[in-house]
Amino acid sequence: MRLIVPLQGVVQGRGGLIFGSLIPCALFYFLQLYLKRHRSPKPQSNPPSPTTSSPKLAEMTRTSSRSNLFSRSIGQVRISSRAISIAKPNESPYYIGLDKASEDPYDRLSNPDGVIQLGLSENRLCFDLIEKWMSENLGHSITGRDSGELNINGIATYQPFDGTMELKLAMAGFMSHIMGGAVTFEPSQMVLTAGATPAIETLCFCLADQGNAFLVPTPYYPGFDRDVKFRTGVELIPVHCRSTDNFALSITALDQAFNQTRKHGTKIRGILLSNPANPVGNLLSREMLYAILDFAQEKNIHVISDEIFAGSMYGNEEFVSMAEVLDSEGFDKNRVHIVYGLSKDLSLPGFRVGVIYSFNENVLAAARKLTRFSSVSAPTQRLLVSMLSDARFIEEYVKTNKKRLQNMHALFVAGLKGLNIRCADSSAGLYCWADMSKLISSYSEKGELELWDKLLNVGKINVTPGSACHCIEPGWFRCCFTTLAEEDIPVVLERIRKAVENTTDLLNSS
Amino acid sequence: MEFTRKNRQLLSRIATNDRHGENSPYFDGWKAYDSNPFHPIHNPDGVIQMGLAENPLCFDLIEKWIRENPDASICTAEGLDKFKDIAIYQDYHGLREFREAVAKFMGRVGGNRVTFDPNRIVMSGGATGANETAIFCLADPGDAFLVPSPYYAGFARDLRWRTGVEIVPVHCKSSNNFRITRAALEEAYEKAQRSNINIKGVIITNPSNPLGTVLDKETLRSFVSFVTDKNIHLVSDEIYAATVFSSPRFISVAEVMQDMDCNRDLIHIVYSLSKDMGFPGFRVGIVYSFNDDVTNCARKMSSFGLVSSQTQFLLASMLSDDEFVGNFLRESSKRLAKRHHVFTKGLEEVGISTIKSNAGLFFWMDMRPLLKEQTTKAETELWRVIINKVKLNVSPGSSFLCSEPGWFRVCFANMDDKTVEVALDRIREFVLQGKEENNHEADKSQARAQRWRKQNLRLSFSSSRLYDESLMSPHMISPHSPIPHSPLVRART
């Protein structure tokens, strides 16, 4: 009552004019302020990717100056909002563990108390084969001339940024071979990048705008958070898979996630799959591939199939590439893109060789331009052309690699079984997906991380906890076994046993 | 095609816009070269490539070193024992030996007046990746950077395409040899502020591409204090640092900072081995920032463009070989100086002047006397004549955003001595021919001069908008521009 009368007095008459003009102006001003604040992309709340706290940078001698002290804090604020979140030390156990293991690496002879690295999916099983090849085929590895004459002109100068045709040809042959010869890859549909990491990022830049999203089945490779989200501003929407069906993907779950995301106003541009899956190691069946393609077609979205572990099979199941399915049915090929690389199957992660394989000319055209930022180093290309073109070597390598993988996998999984830790069914990859839920104190992420911490700091083994892979069920851990020698397995098992000594379940054999 | 149109809608904005800048005539010249490349024996009438800033002058020295150091290549018997460790190494910090070697090399190139910290060396996919990474770290979409023009044509892509950041050119004039001054920066900055453009920093290329000149200490100091005053960043692209072949010597911004009051968090250097060593194929780009947060961020981003460990290992050995490096740098300077001299002298003889330069793999040539009128259109016409009739691929000033038409960048390092002679002969012939034609039109020249003056007034407006990504004047696109098999795939800098 007491408010209304003065208001009425103000609003009517001259005051009304003032208010009538002031209020819209004020509203407009606040609208501008609001828009301005929300103009730039929100800084990411989860600092994604790579390794954590880098070693403290050596202090440079600083000139003591007033302006220095004063503006240092301002200087920090004025880097990009992207950089602010990325520069923070990474809190993900995936990266913390990697750091710890690399600072104090286990060595059977020189550092038997070091941290055993089971968190990095690297394959050290077949280096002897590659070294043997090198020693028998030297001279033209770096230069490409059989005559023994060195000609650096061919490798030092500018090369096609998306890779030389020779390497693409060699790569096409290699990919075809490891996928059982069921697919032929066309070199002209290939774009080579400096590793699979930029391959994924490049595809995201091509297929999605800032604020769009990709559906990704969980659990997934922790690096996707960096590759997809870091600089592109594209989101990842998890599609949860469960242990009850061995973490198999279901179209129902995909559909649900798609609809929910759409309701929230975010546009889904595609599905990101890894097949063989990382971290579980299972394969997508042919039927499932059809179903995914149908789904993608219906929703008019892309499919990115990361097949980087295709040549690391140890099981008896048959690997079916997305490319193979496309060949056989009348699907719209323009929405399918395959990512590959030599880091896993050929154990050359340091060389930085990745592949984008697409059927979409426009994507290829754009990707080619983008490889300007991440090309394969020329000497490396030259070396690999030689290696990958050696059909006899590749055949022997793939066969031997599979045998050794099978062996290590069997030993490791059996060893874990002896500790009453079962693993998910898997046919490929350099790791197994172990269920340690019985060993955690509380069935939660907190309990899982406590166990992870115990394993790392007490047991001195670095494994990747499921939460880092966005697994919805706590207690699962990815253990990579291809960095080990056979003799190391009992050591690992013993350390696990020691780390969980107080957990009664471990001692009860069932 | 309906299908293609629908197809393109499935792609992102970045994939379908033109901000990669590859539709500019700068890259058109490659097509002429690629379809008809010069060869002294097989194709003596082909197009000579003078638009590519490559430096193969000292490859013989490098080949000799590689032959004599087989353990540096892990693919030789001597180096094989290292193979396993190198092949598996994918840590984004980079091999320690590599970082130390690069830091030492950078220090050496700067005349050993600065020590670079190996822990600040961050890898990236070539200088292209380094520039882009720096921008990703320093600016958000919509922000802008001041860039003195003329500048490297690739900046349109490297600084803007995926980052969403804008370039505000600061036009330099021939009246003072295209020197960039603090006053010009101040003016550009104020102007941008008035137009509500958020300037996040300044990018300088020192030595300059395309001018080939170096910045003196005073100018560098003034830039450093300028950015400190305005609290904006300074990115110094120093990839041509070791191509300085005569005095004055190269001075890095790092050297200038040492005895100055400034905010070190604002200073960042981009480096690469593509020009100094002639290794563009190796894809070695370096981001060196004095700002810890930027270093950390750039390092994480380096995952997208790590240098192959095989290459890191090779270079670590090579660049730590003090004797080799010393000899290489000396020889390289000598050969560049000689080549530069041969060209500039040859051009002088026919009355073509160039900006006095002492660095880079190119020179900035003044072809204004040969323009029918002082317009960009005339420059483009002249350029097409040079490519198609004279058969030389040179780069027109407009592709470097030069505000004055008639200037061309000519690269001189990427050919052998015989080709140099052929190129000079062709230029000489063309210029002399042009002079003859001019004499015939002497009576018309007065009227033309009038027109030129009038048009010149409107010039700065139109040329600055020329490469606005939304404007694509049809005659700029080469009729032979094919998509997607564009040789732009092999676009070189």
Side-chain angles (χ1 to χ4, degrees):
Chain A
M1 204 46 182
R2 261 193 266 142
L3 268 176
I4 295 178
V5 171
L7 263 181
Q8 267 186 342
V10 165
V11 166
Q12 289 168 5
R14 249 180 335 152
L17 269 177
I18 297 173
F19 262 109
S21 43
L22 272 185
I23 291 177
C25 286
L27 284 177
F28 185 71
Y29 169 78
F30 285 120
L31 176 68
Q32 293 285 64
L33 206 62
Y34 173 84
L35 286 175
K36 209 173 176 189
R37 219 172 265 148
H38 286 73
R39 189 167 47 98
S40 27
K42 297 191 192 75
Q44 307 186 349
S45 46
N46 270 347
S49 351
T51 20
T52 37
S53 44
S54 25
K56 213 127 181 30
L57 292 168
E59 294 284 77
M60 292 192 75
T61 48
R62 292 183 178 268
T63 51
S64 59
S65 74
R66 206 171 15 110
S67 60
N68 202 17
L69 291 168
F70 169 64
S71 39
R72 180 165 162 72
S73 51
I74 296 186
Q76 279 177 356
V77 166
R78 282 177 60 89
I79 56 178
S80 72
S81 44
R82 210 187 274 106
I84 291 174
S85 57
I86 291 173
K88 275 191 267 192
N90 202 298
E91 290 147 2
S92 162
Y94 177 67
Y95 296 104
I96 296 178
L98 286 179
D99 268 355
K100 257 251 159 85
S102 66
E103 282 162 24
D104 180 18
Y106 167 81
D107 185 293
R108 207 173 312 121
L109 302 165
S110 58
N111 189 18
D113 293 323
V115 178
I116 300 184
Q117 175 68 286
L118 300 180
L120 188 55
S121 67
E122 261 173 15
N123 182 357
R124 298 182 181 239
L125 302 178
C126 289
F127 273 137
D128 58 321
L129 297 180
I130 299 186
E131 283 165 358
K132 181 160 164 285
W133 181 87
M134 297 260 180
S135 64
E136 291 169 1
N137 293 272
L138 299 171
H140 43 260
S141 302
I142 197 172
T143 61
R145 287 282 195 87
D146 285 304
S147 59
E149 250 179 61
L150 211 73
N151 187 339
I152 199 132
N153 213 315
I155 55 169
T157 51
Y158 280 105
Q159 312 283 312
F161 290 103
D162 61 330
T164 57
M165 189 42 89
E166 294 92 345
L167 183 53
K168 288 184 191 174
L169 271 164
M171 185 69 77
F174 179 69
M175 284 169 73
S176 180
H177 182 93
I178 57 158
M179 295 187 191
V183 198
T184 321
F185 289 94
E186 186 53 49
S188 61
Q189 284 171 232
M190 237 185 236
V191 167
L192 300 181
T193 57
T197 296
I200 301 217
E201 194 200 35
T202 298
L203 275 176
C204 290
F205 269 120
C206 291
L207 306 177
D209 295 313
Q210 202 170 316
N212 294 158
F214 276 88
L215 294 174
V216 56
T218 70
Y220 63 80
Y221 160 55
F224 278 165
D225 286 324
R226 166 199 59 207
D227 303 346
V228 174
K229 304 201 290 187
F230 235 31
R231 310 191 294 185
T232 63
V234 173
E235 271 309 313
L236 278 175
I237 306 291
V239 179
H240 293 297
C241 304
R242 294 169 197 283
S243 58
T244 38
D245 23 68
N246 200 45
F247 296 98
L249 178 62
S250 85
I251 297 294
T252 322
L254 266 182
D255 202 29
Q256 258 172 5
F258 183 88
N259 293 329
Q260 262 207 324
T261 312
R262 216 178 26 175
K263 249 191 247 151
H264 284 131
T266 301
K267 186 158 186 218
I268 298 277
R269 292 309 279 263
I271 310 170
L272 172 59
L273 307 162
S274 43
N275 177 34
N278 178 5
V280 181
N282 50 9
L283 304 176
L284 289 172
S285 66
R286 202 178 283 268
E287 293 70 38
M288 183 43 112
L289 291 175
Y290 291 156
I292 292 172
L293 288 172
D294 273 330
F295 179 80
Q297 194 130 326
E298 183 199 321
K299 307 289 184 201
N300 194 25
I301 58 179
H302 293 275
V303 176
I304 300 179
S305 181
D306 180 356
E307 303 186 347
I308 200 173
F309 289 100
S312 302
M313 299 277 303
Y314 46 74
N316 296 320
E317 254 183 273
E318 181 207 6
F319 171 73
V320 181
S321 165
M322 195 60 94
E324 187 185 332
V325 166
L326 276 182
D327 264 351
S328 55
E329 303 288 314
F331 287 108
D332 174 11
K333 294 185 173 187
N334 280 293
R335 56 181 82 254
V336 175
H337 322 278
I338 295 173
V339 167
Y340 187 66
L342 295 182
S343 304
K344 313 293 178 185
D345 294 345
L346 210 55
S347 311
L348 302 173
F351 285 11
R352 315 310 304 145
V353 184
V355 181
I356 295 176
Y357 189 83
S358 176
F359 299 86
N360 186 322
E361 271 313 314
N362 289 318
V363 171
L364 287 173
R368 280 183 201 118
K369 296 191 177 92
L370 287 169
T371 54
R372 197 70 170 80
F373 300 106
S374 5
S375 301
V376 184
S377 183
T380 304
Q381 292 196 54
R382 185 59 69 79
L383 169 66
L384 289 171
V385 167
S386 293
M387 197 187 291
L388 296 177
S389 310
D390 190 338
R392 204 183 39 81
F393 164 71
I394 294 295
E395 199 182 321
E396 190 204 336
Y397 180 90
V398 171
K399 228 179 11 190
T400 313
N401 190 33
K402 178 166 185 173
K403 247 197 312 196
R404 295 183 187 179
L405 268 177
Q406 269 169 340
N407 183 40
M408 284 303 287
H409 173 256
L411 282 173
F412 196 77
V413 169
L416 287 180
K417 197 146 173 248
L419 294 176
N420 210 20
I421 298 173
R422 77 168 187 94
C423 297
D425 288 335
S426 59
S427 325
L430 309 175
Y431 37 75
C432 58
W433 188 234
D435 183 4
M436 303 198 196
S437 52
K438 294 204 202 88
L439 302 173
I440 58 183
S441 49
S442 69
Y443 191 67
S444 63
E445 185 178 324
K446 182 165 174 291
E448 177 188 283
L449 289 175
E450 273 169 20
L451 175 58
W452 168 76
D453 189 84
K454 239 194 299 187
L455 288 169
L456 181 62
N457 294 311
V458 175
K460 298 284 204 82
I461 60 170
N462 177 38
V463 290
T464 307
S467 49
C469 306
H470 304 269
C471 185
I472 200 164
E473 298 176 16
W476 291 85
F477 288 81
R478 186 188 78 167
C479 311
C480 301
F481 50 76
T482 46
T483 47
L484 303 171
E486 275 187 44
E487 308 87 86
D488 300 323
I489 297 186
V491 180
V492 171
L493 296 173
E494 183 52 41
R495 291 195 184 188
I496 298 180
R497 193 194 304 271
K498 231 187 7 202
V500 296
E501 243 165 357
N502 299 322
T503 316
T504 48
D505 275 293
L506 180 59
L507 305 172
N508 291 341
S509 48
S510 59
Chain B
M1 239 194 290
E2 158 68 32
F3 183 69
T4 322
R5 193 172 45 83
K6 188 165 156 229
N7 205 337
R8 279 176 75 80
Q9 281 164 12
L10 274 181
L11 267 59
S12 67
R13 281 192 281 271
I14 284 181
T16 49
N17 67 22
D18 281 320
R19 285 171 68 94
H20 46 73
E22 288 193 12
N23 291 331
S24 107
Y26 176 75
F27 297 105
D28 266 2
W30 308 122
K31 294 186 199 86
Y33 170 74
D34 286 333
S35 54
N36 185 17
F38 171 83
H39 187 278
I41 303 166
H42 304 305
N43 190 15
D45 291 325
V47 176
I48 299 181
Q49 175 65 288
M50 303 187 83
L52 177 58
E54 235 178 23
N55 181 10
L57 291 180
C58 288
F59 275 165
D60 57 322
L61 299 179
I62 296 182
E63 280 163 12
K64 182 160 169 285
W65 187 91
I66 291 182
R67 244 198 325 266
E68 292 171 359
N69 292 273
D71 50 335
S73 317
I74 50 180
C75 343
T76 55
E78 293 83 347
L80 205 51
D81 60 325
K82 286 279 178 40
F83 171 80
K84 223 175 16 198
D85 294 326
I86 300 298
I88 208 93
Y89 184 84
Q90 54 176 325
D91 186 338
Y92 64 32
H93 285 87
L95 287 173
R96 191 182 40 85
E97 310 92 297
F98 172 72
R99 282 181 287 119
E100 283 172 357
V102 171
K104 201 158 65 143
F105 184 73
M106 285 171 71
R108 200 127 179 211
V109 166
N112 279 329
R113 288 181 170 79
V114 196
T115 320
F116 287 92
D117 179 1
N119 291 323
R120 287 194 185 278
I121 301 278
V122 171
M123 297 180 284
S124 60
T128 298
N131 275 311
E132 195 200 36
T133 297
I135 302 298
F136 264 127
C137 292
L138 303 177
D140 293 309
D143 290 339
F145 270 78
L146 294 176
V147 186
S149 87
Y151 60 76
Y152 164 52
F155 275 168
R157 167 198 58 219
D158 302 346
L159 308 180
R160 300 181 327 151
W161 194 16
R162 303 193 293 187
T163 60
V165 168
E166 292 305 327
I167 294 179
V168 174
V170 183
H171 293 296
C172 301
K173 308 262 175 248
S174 59
S175 44
N176 72 335
N177 283 324
F178 294 101
R179 262 197 299 271
I180 177 70
T181 60
R182 177 171 177 162
L185 284 180
E186 296 264 12
E187 196 192 319
Y189 183 81
E190 302 302 325
K191 189 156 167 236
Q193 296 286 80
R194 282 196 300 272
S195 320
N196 260 326
I197 298 177
N198 186 23
I199 299 287
K200 231 33 205 306
V202 182
I203 302 199
I204 55 174
T205 312
N206 175 35
S208 161
N209 175 8
L211 304 173
T213 52
V214 297
L215 292 173
D216 60 75
K217 209 165 197 172
E218 271 322 300
T219 312
L220 279 169
R221 287 173 71 93
S222 73
F223 291 172
V224 172
S225 59
F226 170 72
V227 299
T228 303
D229 276 348
K230 308 283 187 245
N231 200 26
I232 59 178
H233 294 279
L234 177 63
V235 178
S236 180
D237 182 341
E238 303 186 343
I239 70 171
Y240 288 99
T243 62
V244 172
F245 50 78
S246 62
S247 66
R249 68 176 179 87
F250 165 72
I251 301 173
S252 167
V253 68
E255 183 186 332
V256 152
M257 275 168 67
Q258 280 177 142
D259 35 37
M260 257 191 89
D261 256 3
C262 66
N263 183 353
R264 301 170 75 87
D265 278 342
L266 299 174
I267 313 289
H268 323 275
I269 296 176
V270 161
Y271 191 61
S272 162
L273 296 180
S274 302
K275 311 296 178 181
D276 289 350
M277 293 291 291
F279 287 155
F282 285 22
R283 311 311 303 144
V284 181
I286 304 288
V287 178
Y288 189 97
S289 172
F290 292 92
N291 181 322
D292 290 351
D293 286 334
V294 172
T295 302
N296 286 332
C297 180
R299 188 179 288 122
K300 289 179 180 156
M301 289 187 183
S302 65
S303 298
F304 299 111
L306 290 175
V307 177
S308 167
S309 53
Q310 175 199 16
T311 305
Q312 288 186 50
F313 188 72
L314 174 67
L315 292 172
S317 290
M318 198 186 286
L319 299 180
S320 320
D321 187 341
D322 288 329
E323 200 188 316
F324 166 75
V325 170
N327 185 38
F328 180 90
L329 291 175
R330 263 191 310 273
E331 265 307 306
S332 180
S333 287
K334 246 199 313 200
R335 297 180 192 184
L336 282 171
K338 180 154 166 256
R339 190 53 77 79
H340 180 261
H341 178 78
V342 164
F343 261 109
T344 45
K345 205 77 198 306
L347 289 172
E348 245 174 60
E349 284 164 10
V350 287
I352 298 286
S353 66
T354 63
I355 288 283
K356 188 163 177 318
S357 63
N358 65 321
L361 310 173
F362 32 72
F363 50 81
W364 192 233
M365 183 168 71
D366 185 0
M367 300 283 259
R368 288 177 300 177
L370 292 169
L371 287 185
K372 289 209 188 81
E373 35 183 43
Q374 300 297 318
T375 61
T376 311
K377 185 160 178 286
E379 178 189 279
T380 310
E381 271 168 35
L382 174 60
W383 175 64
R384 290 206 189 282
V385 168
I386 298 180
I387 295 220
N388 297 318
K389 294 232 180 66
V390 190
K391 304 268 186 56
L392 299 173
N393 177 29
V394 296
S395 311
S398 48
S399 57
F400 295 88
L401 274 278
C402 185
S403 56
E404 298 178 19
W407 293 88
F408 288 81
R409 186 190 79 168
V410 181
C411 298
F412 56 71
N414 62 321
M415 55 186 76
D416 58 32
D417 291 324
K418 287 202 193 64
T419 314
V420 172
E421 278 172 35
V422 177
L424 271 176
D425 279 338
R426 290 187 187 178
I427 299 179
R428 262 181 272 210
E429 210 183 292
F430 173 66
V431 171
L432 293 173
Q433 220 174 37
K435 285 218 169 108
E436 268 180 39
E437 285 171 15
N438 272 350
N439 286 336
H440 291 156
E441 299 200 22
D443 38 1
K444 291 192 194 149
S445 67
Q446 273 244 327
R448 222 179 288 136
Q450 283 268 4
R451 244 182 301 144
W452 170 78
R453 248 173 256 126
K454 251 200 247 157
Q455 267 157 346
N456 207 24
L457 289 172
R458 278 179 247 138
L459 206 55
S460 46
F461 175 71
S462 62
S463 66
S464 67
R465 274 174 63 72
L466 204 55
Y467 288 95
D468 187 357
E469 66 272 12
S470 55
L471 268 186
M472 285 294 287
S473 62
H475 76 269
M476 284 298 179
I477 305 173
S478 158
H480 304 294
S481 169
I483 293 170
H485 298 292
S486 171
L488 303 176
V489 154
R490 294 186 276 153
R492 294 155 189 174
T493 42

